[in-house]
Amino acid sequence: LVFEENGKYYVCDYKSSHLGDDFGDYNQKALRHNIEENHYDLQYLIYSLALHRHLKQNLVDYNPTQHFGGVYYLYLRGMTNDERHLGAGIYYQQITSDELKRLDDLFLGKELNKEQG
């Protein structure tokens, strides 16, 4: 899913993974672990590059710093509107304009400068 809010565009993906029976099982540390264990971080980088390229071609005066908002992964089993568990099941990651440029260059086959990492 891609959505726009206040001029920024976001990648959003839903997960139905079962991490536990309590909302506390869907805290940021647990979400990050699940994302890394399942390589969802690679997945969201590819999605981010696709959105970046789309915006670059279709949005007049596209500037990643101004227009690219980041990535949300929503773990549906861990989400609630109960104020005691605000943020449970919601993972957000900002992708910087430098990261987007480096990803774009990598997928274009350009050799990365060793100083860039």
Side-chain angles (χ1 to χ4, degrees):
L1 171 72
V2 173
F3 69 92
E4 179 269 333
E5 182 179 19
N6 297 322
K8 287 191 179 271
Y9 294 81
Y10 298 84
V11 171
C12 183
D13 197 0
Y14 298 89
K15 299 296 179 197
S16 61
S17 307
H18 182 263
L19 305 183
D21 295 328
D22 299 315
F23 292 118
D25 296 325
Y26 294 85
N27 62 47
Q28 292 304 299
K29 184 178 177 182
L31 298 181
R32 183 72 198 167
H33 175 75
N34 185 260
I35 284 169
E36 290 174 354
E37 184 177 65
N38 292 288
H39 307 290
Y40 296 149
D41 46 353
L42 175 58
Q43 183 183 53
Y44 71 61
L45 288 173
I46 293 169
Y47 292 166
S48 295
L49 176 59
L51 177 57
H52 168 68
R53 286 181 172 182
H54 174 77
L55 294 173
K56 195 162 53 168
Q57 289 182 337
N58 295 289
L59 192 63
V60 177
D61 298 326
Y62 172 64
N63 177 337
T65 303
Q66 178 183 348
H67 297 111
F68 196 92
V71 175
Y72 280 96
Y73 269 43
L74 307 178
Y75 284 73
L76 300 176
R77 295 173 190 248
M79 296 175 68
T80 179
N81 61 358
D82 185 332
E83 290 187 16
R84 294 172 296 167
H85 303 288
L86 284 180
I90 300 172
Y91 176 83
Y92 171 77
Q93 180 65 44
Q94 174 67 43
I95 310 295
T96 68
S97 58
D98 183 56
E99 289 171 314
L100 290 169
K101 180 181 180 347
R102 290 170 60 197
L103 274 169
D104 206 7
D105 287 348
L106 179 67
F107 277 76
L108 288 171
K110 294 182 181 179
E111 201 169 312
L112 293 178
N113 184 339
K114 291 186 193 266
E115 295 171 2
Q116 289 179 323

